[in-house]
C-alpha cells in the first residue's frame, strides 16, 4: 500500500511529522514534512507530506523558489485552502525576517558574497525589480541601505540625484549597487551596464568609489567587480 493511501492516524509516530518533531526536534524533519506540519492535514487521496512534496516540486525543490510563491499559487494545490496557504506564507516570511535580523548593523563588505548574503533576503524572491544602494564608510561598513526604485518585471528607473543626495547626507565614501532579476537570469543587460557606467562616472566627480554592482536572484548572484564588468 502506498504512503498516500494510509490515513495519517495509522502511521507510526516516527512517520507522523508533528509527532516526529516532538520526539526528535525540527531538524529531523524533511522540508516536505515541515510543510506538512504547517498544513496540518492533507486530502483523502494525499497525506499532508505528499501535498508538501507536490508544493516543493512546483518550487523545483528549492526553498528559495518556494519563497517566491504567492497566495494564489499556493491555493492551486488540492488540499490547500486559505488558512493553510496563509500559514505557509507566514512561516516563509518569518524565515526571511530572521535572516535579516541576524545581519550585523555595521557589517563590513569585504567580498561580493557578503553583499549577496545581506541583500538576498530582501530582494531575491521579489516578483518585480528593485534597485538598492549600500552607502559605505572608509572601512567599507554599511552606513545606510537605500531602496532607490521599484519597478516592473524587466526593469526599473534609477534617479542618480536620489542616490547621491543620500550619499552626501551620510558622508559615505563608497557605494555598492544592487538589483534583482525576477527571471533568475544572472547576466547583466545592456541597461544594467549603462546605468552602472553612468553612476560610476557621476561618483568619480564627487570622489566617491563604486565598489561593485550585484545582480541577485533566487539562484544566486553575479558581481560586476568579480566578473570584470567594472
Amino acid at each position: 500500500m502506498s504512503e498516500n493511501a494510509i490515513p495519517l492516524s495509522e502511521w507510526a509516530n516516527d512517520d507522523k511529522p508533528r509527532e516526529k518533531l516532538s520526539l526528535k526536534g525540527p531538524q529531523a524533519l524533511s522540508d516536505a514534512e515541515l510543510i506538512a506540519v504547517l498544513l496540518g492535514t492533507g486530502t483523502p487521496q494525499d497525506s499532508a507530506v505528499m501535498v508538501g512534496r507536490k508544493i516543493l516540486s512546483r518550487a523545483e525543490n528549492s526553498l528559495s523558489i518556494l519563497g517566491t510563491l504567492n497566495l494564489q499559487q499556493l491555493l492551486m494545490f488540492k488540499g490547500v485552502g486559505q488558512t493553510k496557504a496563509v500559514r505557509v506564507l507566514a512561516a516563509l516570511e518569518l524565515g526571511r525576517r530572521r535572516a535579516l535580523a541576524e545581519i550585523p548593523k555595521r557589517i563590513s563588505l569585504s567580498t561580493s558574497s557578503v553583499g549577496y548574503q545581506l541583500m538576498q533576503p530582501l530582494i531575491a524572491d521579489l516578483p518585480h525589480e528593485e534597485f538598492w544602494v549600500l552607502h559605505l564608510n572608509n572601512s567599507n561598513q554599511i552606513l545606510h541601505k537605500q531602496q532607490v526604485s521599484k519597478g516592473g518585471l524587466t526593469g526599473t528607473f534609477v534617479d542618480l540625484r536620489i542616490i547621491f543626495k543620500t550619499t552626501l547626507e551620510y558622508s559615505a565614501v563608497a557605494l555598492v549597487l544592487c538589483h534583482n532579476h525576477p527571471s533568475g537570469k544572472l547576466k547583466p543587460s545592456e541597461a544594467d551596464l549603462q546605468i552602472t557606467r553612468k553612476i560610476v562616472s557621476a561618483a568619480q566627480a564627487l570622489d566617491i568609489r563604486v565598489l561593485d554592482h550585484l545582480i541577485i536572484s533566487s539562484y544566486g548572484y553575479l558581481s560586476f567587480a568579480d566578473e570584470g564588468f567594472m
Side-chain angles (χ1 to χ4, degrees), residues 15-32:
D15 295 325
K16 297 177 184 178
R18 280 176 293 186
E19 285 76 359
K20 186 175 179 181
L21 188 151
S22 298
L23 289 169
K24 299 182 177 181
Q27 297 84 0
L29 275 64
S30 68
D31 293 343

Side-chain angles (χ1 to χ4, degrees), residues 6 13 16 19 30 57 60 85 91 95 100 107 110 113 116 126 128 134 138 167 174 178 181 193 195-196 206 219:
I6 304 173
N13 279 346
K16 297 177 184 178
E19 285 76 359
S30 68
S57 178
E60 301 177 24
L100 288 171
I107 189 170
S110 54
S113 63
Y116 168 68
L126 296 176
H128 57 269
L134 306 179
N138 272 319
T167 303
C178 310
H181 276 183
L193 295 170
I195 192 60
T196 304
L206 296 171
Y219 300 95

Side-chain angles (χ1 to χ4, degrees), residues 31-90:
D31 293 343
E33 288 172 327
L34 289 170
I35 294 173
V37 172
L38 294 170
L39 297 176
T41 60
T43 70
Q45 294 77 33
D46 290 332
S47 68
V49 175
M50 289 299 293
V51 176
R53 287 175 182 165
K54 289 181 179 180
I55 294 173
L56 278 173
S57 178
R58 165 67 175 77
E60 301 177 24
N61 293 310
S62 165
L63 292 180
S64 292
I65 297 176
L66 178 63
T68 68
L69 299 185
N70 57 37
L71 182 65
Q72 287 69 35
Q73 289 171 317
L74 288 172
L75 290 173
M76 292 174 63
F77 292 94
K78 189 175 181 180
V80 179
Q82 185 91 7
T83 300
K84 294 180 181 180
V86 167
R87 282 191 203 132
V88 173
L89 291 176

Side-chain angles (χ1 to χ4, degrees), residues 136-211:
L136 314 178
N137 63 15
N138 272 319
S139 300
N140 290 345
Q141 292 178 320
I142 297 173
L143 299 171
H144 181 67
K145 297 194 299 290
Q146 178 189 22
Q147 182 194 73
V148 177
S149 61
K150 178 177 178 179
L153 294 174
T154 58
T156 179
F157 174 75
V158 177
D159 189 335
L160 270 64
R161 293 170 297 180
I162 294 175
I163 294 174
F164 291 107
K165 179 177 183 292
T166 304
T167 303
L168 296 174
E169 285 175 354
Y170 282 86
S171 300
V173 299
L175 307 174
V176 171
L177 316 176
C178 310
H179 80 280
N180 63 311
H181 276 183
S183 67
K185 294 180 180 178
L186 293 174
K187 181 180 179 181
S189 66
E190 183 57 36
D192 294 336
L193 295 170
Q194 287 179 4
I195 192 60
T196 304
R197 290 193 289 264
K198 194 173 180 181
I199 294 173
V200 168
S201 177
Q204 287 174 342
L206 296 171
D207 198 24
I208 294 167
R209 295 170 294 137
V210 179
L211 303 181

